[in-house]
Amino acid sequence: MTKTDDNLIPEEELSAADLKLAEELASSEAGARNPTGAFPKKVLFFVPLIWTLFQLWYASPLPFIFNFFVVNSTEARAIHLAFAIFLAFVAFPTFKKSPKNYIPLQDWGLGLIGAFCGSYLFIFYSALADRPGMPSQMDLVVSVVGLVLLLEATRRALGPPLMVVATVFIIYTFGGQFMPDVIAHKGASLSKGMSHYWLGTEGVFGVALGVSTGMVFMFVLFGALLEAAGAGNYFIRTAFAGLGHLKGGPAKAAVVSSGLTGLVSGSSIANVVTTGTFTIPLMKKTGFSAEKAGAIEVACSTNGQLMPPVMGAAAFLMVEYVGITYIEVIKHAFLPAIISYIALIYIVHLEACKMGLEGMEKNITKTVSKRLLTFAFTVLSLIIIGGVTYYGLGWIKGVAGGATIYIVSVLLVAAYLFLLWVACKVPELEQTTEINELPPLGPTAQAGLYFLLPVVVLMWCLTVERLSPALSAFWATVLMICIVVTQRPLKGVFRKMQGETFAFKTGLTDLINGMVAGARNMIGIGVATSAAGIVVGTVTLTGIGLVMTEFVEFISGGNLIAILFFTAIISLILGMGLPTTANYIVVSTLMAPVIVDLGAQNGLIVPLIAVHLFVFYFGILADDTPPVGLAAFAAAGISGGDPIKTGIQGFTYDIRTAILPFMFIFNTQLLLMGIDHWYHLVITVVGATLAMLAFAAATQGFWLTKTRLWETAGLLLIALMLFRPGLVWDRIYPPLIEEPAAQLESYIANMDPGSSLRLVLQGEKMNGKIFTKTIMLKIGEEATGAERMAGVGFETREEEGKILIDNVVFSSAAEKAGIDFDQEILNLQVPTHRLPKELVYIPTLTLFAFLYVVQSRRRKKDELAKLVV
């Protein structure tokens, strides 16, 4: 029995009634209508299916092989948006109270008009290319109508917040002359504004929609097909089998299964509803309150978006916005995501210890020696398989050359058939949402090993073959399609069973349903990236980015910490109503350049990827931040708890995630930047992990036993020192010394190729204000200092004893770093030879050990006292 609103409700009734709310929240991303008519049902089935087939065609090499229906990126964006707008009108009702069992006539009309406006660039591509900047009356009408319908589609699919934000920016574009002086501009004409927003690739059809079209769709489809194949259920049950017997086992399994689901899911709400139906009831049964059970699921589901390779679609946007490769994005995002999840598992463990909870009963108990032997055998097997795969395929590629693809395809088919045969040696996994007893780990893991093959193919294509993310996802999806279609009939052959469950037709139905689900999941993302393009377009059209720098610098007093807090708050506020992707686009467009610029003025070189990850992290945290926190509402719908309390509790668990961005802004080694040796990597990973565990214990007020105030302060100090060892060390031994600018050429000549040159520049802004900033440039392999400066893209001259910038090469590294004509080079910042800052770890770990001893003794005393009583 569970108490809700002071009434006792049977558990079975609670799960049925409250799941309805969670399903409604989740359905908001795939369309809330479920029409009863045959024709509307067919439209909502076949249009998403056609959309998926188009995206598969566009992502594949087939158009170029057959030289048929070859579309460029702009045309593909237009088709993508046309599908998204049409489906937004027919799949989502006008208002929450509007009928959901049929599609009104006006919605058909608006959907078709919106689809025409969205595809206008595709239909009239050649004609528009012949008159750039000179739109016809028809162009303007279509642009205005399309913009209005896009805003309405955004409101229906995602609610009012993003629509309101986009509308405000449009008003600012056309009414700039009426704005306060601090943000005023001359305003744009209708022709100029519409050309920018709708008829070019600077606004709606910009980078964000391009990423949605080229990359995000394929990964969302890949995730939908994994779910259709049963991989989601496999991940969840394997996590329970491995962790369910530990203290707070179901909660720890929730963390791991949400992390696995988050690998391919771009939505925290979908993650909550998918894994929460399993995990939340089990957490409650083991002793967690409704609010804590919901909060744990919320915390691990929102963190699912941190996990590479998908990262809620933001990873692909970062590739375009930051200008680095997809592999680099994954590398930089990996360590913070992993230590955040490790800390969440630890928080769950601490909660279980505080409440004296135990895990689920294990059917078979192994001795310590058997456990160690099993663990060693598993690790050794993974190493052997990994080595054979990596070096074996590498050897085949070197020997077979162009025939490698055929040989690897045969090997892949053989591996699939073998793993499917292995899976058929154990019983099929249950498909229910209840886990009443702990599943055996071996058979459970064995039952779905073949699901890992598409993930292996995806990572191989990305990391080894270095294919584009879209093409990598395409090949992984092709394999996933083959698995969805063939797994049932092949299992029937291996198990020697017949029936509808093992029919080829059933597998084909699973495939088509997965394709439709993938496209419907893309409706919200499609309109969100398009609407967010309005904000990006406004920034490029009006120059408000420069105004934002001045404004933010004024309100923060030029203090970098203050601007980071300001940015975090903006991200949280916007994220309460905006999807993570749209929130990331809006805030990173406005604030990322400001943080980089102010950091440079404070003498801190902040990598652009660090700023983008900072914005992204706080956008994610908005999903469990009261009073909106949609993920918290979804979890509360399943748990029967109070949604506000669930959100607050979830945010307390997520404080560890909130602290990470502030740390990696000032210590970029947490993003695996500046790591020179393998032992440096080990020290960084171990230090960051211990720091996060100490911070988790401090915020939970419990370690080995309940912490006292001074112990909490000590744990926080330990976390800070391990996260930022340079905070103390840099004050004792400065990492940089200043050298005269006159030595620039000779100093560059003696630098190692690939090393970084730090310069302090002074210049004058357009308003006459003097500024100082620090920049960093990577030096090439040229012979002389002058040649190396030319390779970077700048020249200098001496004037009255000052070294001034004399020339800057267009689009060079120097120009991108912010070097401009007539700026003065004040000095060079040269690295000093000093002992490593990680020596701070020695006294820090000593304090850690001291606190451990103190806590351990007090825990023993408490246990003895309980025995006496």
Side-chain angles (χ1 to χ4, degrees):
M1 304 287 279
T2 304
K3 191 173 181 180
T4 308
D5 296 332
D6 298 326
N7 295 312
L8 291 176
I9 302 175
E11 190 74 36
E12 59 273 13
E13 290 183 21
L14 178 66
S15 61
D18 291 336
L19 275 174
K20 186 178 179 182
L21 172 61
E23 288 170 359
E24 287 178 358
L25 285 165
S27 71
S28 65
E29 300 188 2
R33 274 196 179 122
N34 187 20
T36 54
F39 180 72
K41 277 184 176 292
K42 288 181 179 178
V43 169
L44 287 174
F45 180 84
F46 284 106
V47 172
L49 180 60
I50 294 169
W51 189 9
T52 297
L53 293 174
F54 162 73
Q55 293 287 165
L56 283 169
W57 176 264
Y58 174 65
S60 75
L62 295 178
F64 303 98
I65 294 174
F66 296 105
N67 196 27
F68 173 74
F69 195 46
V70 179
V71 294
N72 61 36
S73 61
T74 304
E75 292 172 314
R77 294 174 194 184
I79 297 171
H80 184 85
L81 180 58
F83 276 111
I85 291 182
F86 176 77
L87 288 171
F89 278 102
V90 297
F92 293 89
T94 309
F95 302 104
K96 288 183 178 179
K97 294 183 179 180
S98 299
K100 298 179 177 63
N101 58 347
Y102 71 93
I103 302 173
L105 187 61
Q106 67 269 21
D107 284 356
W108 286 111
L110 292 173
L112 290 170
I113 295 170
F116 171 75
C117 295
S119 60
Y120 191 74
L121 262 69
F122 169 71
I123 298 170
F124 300 102
Y125 184 80
S126 297
L128 289 168
D130 290 337
R131 54 173 190 271
M134 297 182 291
S136 65
Q137 188 173 3
M138 179 67 173
D139 296 341
L140 293 177
V141 170
V142 168
S143 301
V144 172
V145 172
L147 210 55
V148 171
L149 291 180
L150 173 60
L151 292 173
E152 169 60 13
T154 303
R155 184 194 66 81
R156 291 190 182 206
L158 305 168
L162 181 55
M163 181 207 69
V164 172
V165 170
T167 303
V168 168
F169 277 84
I170 293 173
I171 293 171
Y172 175 74
T173 296
F174 294 109
Q177 64 271 37
F178 305 111
M179 297 293 161
D181 291 343
V182 68
I183 59 171
H185 65 99
K186 65 178 182 179
S189 65
L190 181 65
S191 175
K192 184 177 180 181
M194 290 303 108
S195 296
H196 198 80
Y197 280 135
W198 201 267
L199 301 175
T201 56
E202 294 290 330
V204 170
F205 297 94
V207 171
L209 184 59
V211 170
S212 177
T213 306
M215 302 183 200
V216 178
F217 193 104
M218 292 309 302
F219 278 86
V220 170
L221 176 62
F222 179 66
L225 292 177
L226 269 174
E227 188 63 36
N233 182 52
Y234 169 70
F235 290 152
I236 292 168
R237 291 185 179 275
T238 303
F240 269 96
L243 300 172
H245 64 286
L246 303 175
K247 284 188 176 182
K252 292 174 181 175
V255 177
V256 173
S257 58
S258 291
L260 292 171
T261 306
L263 289 173
V264 291
S265 170
S267 166
S268 56
I269 300 172
N271 209 341
V272 166
V273 176
T274 302
T275 60
T277 50
F278 288 84
T279 58
I280 291 175
L282 277 170
M283 282 190 272
K284 289 173 66 180
K285 284 181 182 178
T286 55
F288 286 94
S289 67
E291 283 76 19
K292 286 191 175 182
I296 289 169
E297 181 57 47
V298 167
C300 48
S301 292
T302 51
N303 274 210
Q305 292 186 80
L306 302 178
M307 290 297 294
V310 178
M311 294 168 57
F316 314 115
L317 290 162
M318 288 179 194
V319 170
E320 300 296 328
Y321 288 157
V322 181
I324 60 178
T325 65
Y326 180 67
I327 299 301
E328 287 179 292
V329 171
I330 291 176
K331 182 186 80 172
H332 297 320
F334 182 74
L335 181 57
I338 288 297
I339 63 175
S340 184
Y341 259 103
I342 290 172
L344 184 54
I345 293 175
Y346 189 56
I347 286 172
V348 167
H349 176 75
L350 295 178
E351 286 281 15
C353 290
K354 282 192 280 187
M355 293 184 283
L357 304 181
E358 297 297 332
M360 300 175 71
E361 187 177 347
K362 202 170 186 179
N363 295 327
I364 301 174
T365 304
K366 292 183 179 179
T367 62
V368 175
S369 59
K370 286 183 178 179
R371 288 179 185 175
L372 290 174
L373 187 63
T374 302
F375 177 76
F377 178 75
T378 304
V379 171
L380 188 61
S381 300
L382 290 173
I383 292 173
I384 292 172
I385 292 170
V388 169
T389 303
Y390 186 87
Y391 293 105
L393 290 179
W395 175 79
I396 292 172
K397 190 174 181 180
V399 172
T404 302
I405 181 66
Y406 304 106
I407 297 173
V408 170
S409 297
V410 171
L411 292 175
L412 200 58
V413 170
Y416 169 53
L417 292 174
F418 173 73
L419 291 176
L420 199 62
W421 175 77
V422 168
C424 290
K425 295 296 180 181
V426 296
E428 286 285 316
L429 297 178
E430 294 182 25
Q431 297 297 319
T432 61
T433 57
E434 291 188 9
I435 301 177
N436 295 316
E437 61 180 26
L438 193 67
L441 177 57
T444 304
Q446 185 178 332
L449 286 173
Y450 61 94
F451 287 134
L452 301 179
L453 284 176
V455 180
V456 170
V457 168
L458 175 65
M459 299 312 298
W460 174 269
C461 290
L462 285 170
T463 58
V464 179
E465 296 296 333
R466 295 299 176 105
L467 300 180
S468 69
L471 194 57
S472 300
F474 170 76
W475 289 118
T477 302
V478 167
L479 177 57
M480 199 65 242
I481 289 172
C482 296
I483 289 175
V484 173
V485 173
T486 61
Q487 65 170 339
R488 289 179 180 274
L490 287 174
K491 281 183 176 180
V493 172
F494 290 138
R495 293 186 184 278
K496 298 179 181 179
M497 298 176 69
Q498 293 181 342
E500 188 175 344
T501 304
F502 301 101
F504 177 81
K505 182 180 178 181
T506 306
L508 194 61
T509 302
D510 290 340
L511 170 64
I512 294 173
N513 288 336
M515 287 181 165
V516 172
R520 292 191 65 166
N521 289 341
M522 276 299 301
I523 299 172
I525 297 175
V527 295
T529 51
S530 305
I534 295 172
V535 177
V536 178
T538 301
V539 172
T540 57
L541 180 61
T542 64
I544 192 178
L546 297 174
V547 176
M548 280 294 295
T549 303
E550 297 283 341
F551 178 69
V552 172
E553 184 178 3
F554 171 74
I555 64 172
S556 66
N559 185 282
L560 186 59
I561 292 290
I563 187 55
L564 289 174
F565 273 110
F566 182 72
T567 304
I569 292 168
I570 289 177
S571 300
L572 286 173
I573 292 172
L574 287 176
M576 290 180 187
L578 270 61
T580 303
T581 308
N583 181 19
Y584 164 70
I585 295 169
V586 172
V587 183
S588 64
T589 301
L590 292 173
M591 302 303 298
V594 179
I595 295 174
V596 172
D597 192 44
L598 288 180
Q601 291 181 33
N602 282 270
L604 178 69
I605 297 173
V606 183
L608 194 56
I609 182 63
V611 181
H612 279 257
L613 284 172
F614 182 94
V615 170
F616 175 57
Y617 267 54
F618 281 99
I620 286 174
L621 290 176
D623 277 343
D624 66 356
T625 304
V628 180
L630 293 179
F633 276 86
I638 299 171
S639 70
D642 182 274
I644 301 298
K645 290 181 180 177
T646 301
I648 293 172
Q649 185 69 57
F651 190 75
T652 62
Y653 293 150
D654 270 338
I655 291 175
R656 78 200 190 288
T657 306
I659 199 67
L660 266 176
F662 287 96
M663 295 298 106
F664 62 58
I665 286 286
F666 294 97
N667 181 13
T668 55
Q669 288 178 359
L670 296 174
L671 302 178
L672 302 184
M673 302 175 78
I675 305 291
D676 302 321
H677 305 284
W678 67 267
Y679 53 82
H680 193 186
L681 174 64
V682 171
I683 292 171
T684 301
V685 171
V686 171
T689 304
L690 291 176
M692 187 54 83
L693 296 180
F695 185 80
T699 53
Q700 294 306 304
F702 191 95
W703 187 16
L704 302 179
T705 185
K706 186 176 179 180
T707 57
R708 293 172 177 167
L709 188 60
W710 70 270
E711 291 172 333
T712 299
L715 287 170
L716 289 174
L717 178 63
I718 289 167
L720 181 61
M721 290 298 98
L722 291 176
F723 271 135
R724 285 195 62 193
L727 187 65
V728 172
W729 201 249
D730 291 350
R731 283 167 171 73
I732 301 173
Y733 302 104
L736 303 165
I737 58 172
E738 294 181 356
E739 295 289 350
Q743 298 181 11
L744 175 63
E745 190 170 326
S746 59
Y747 175 70
I748 292 179
N750 294 321
M751 291 178 67
D752 294 327
S755 57
S756 296
L757 169 70
R758 294 175 63 108
L759 301 175
V760 180
L761 302 174
Q762 186 178 80
E764 185 176 333
K765 296 183 180 179
M766 295 183 68
N767 59 7
K769 186 177 179 181
I770 302 298
F771 69 88
T772 302
K773 68 177 180 181
T774 306
I775 64 157
M776 187 161 62
L777 298 166
K778 187 164 285 189
I779 297 302
E781 298 182 1
E782 294 83 0
T784 66
E787 289 173 348
R788 288 184 170 185
M789 283 196 293
V792 173
F794 75 100
E795 297 175 358
T796 61
R797 72 178 189 274
E798 186 173 352
E799 191 174 289
E800 299 179 356
K802 298 178 180 178
I803 303 298
L804 304 176
I805 302 296
D806 192 42
N807 182 39
V808 181
V809 178
F810 176 73
S811 195
S812 63
E815 186 193 50
K816 291 176 182 177
I819 294 181
D820 206 350
F821 293 90
D822 292 332
Q823 289 178 348
E824 180 186 356
I825 302 177
L826 295 180
N827 55 64
L828 318 178
Q829 291 192 336
V830 180
T832 58
H833 297 286
R834 61 173 189 165
L835 293 171
K837 61 184 178 182
E838 285 76 16
L839 288 175
V840 172
Y841 287 175
I842 295 174
T844 304
L845 293 176
T846 303
L847 176 59
F848 212 169
F850 170 72
L851 289 177
Y852 178 85
V853 171
V854 171
Q855 285 248 312
S856 180
R857 288 177 178 176
R858 194 161 74 250
R859 184 178 65 173
K860 288 179 181 178
K861 287 182 180 179
D862 292 341
E863 289 173 351
L864 287 173
K866 287 179 182 178
L867 289 174
V868 171
V869 172

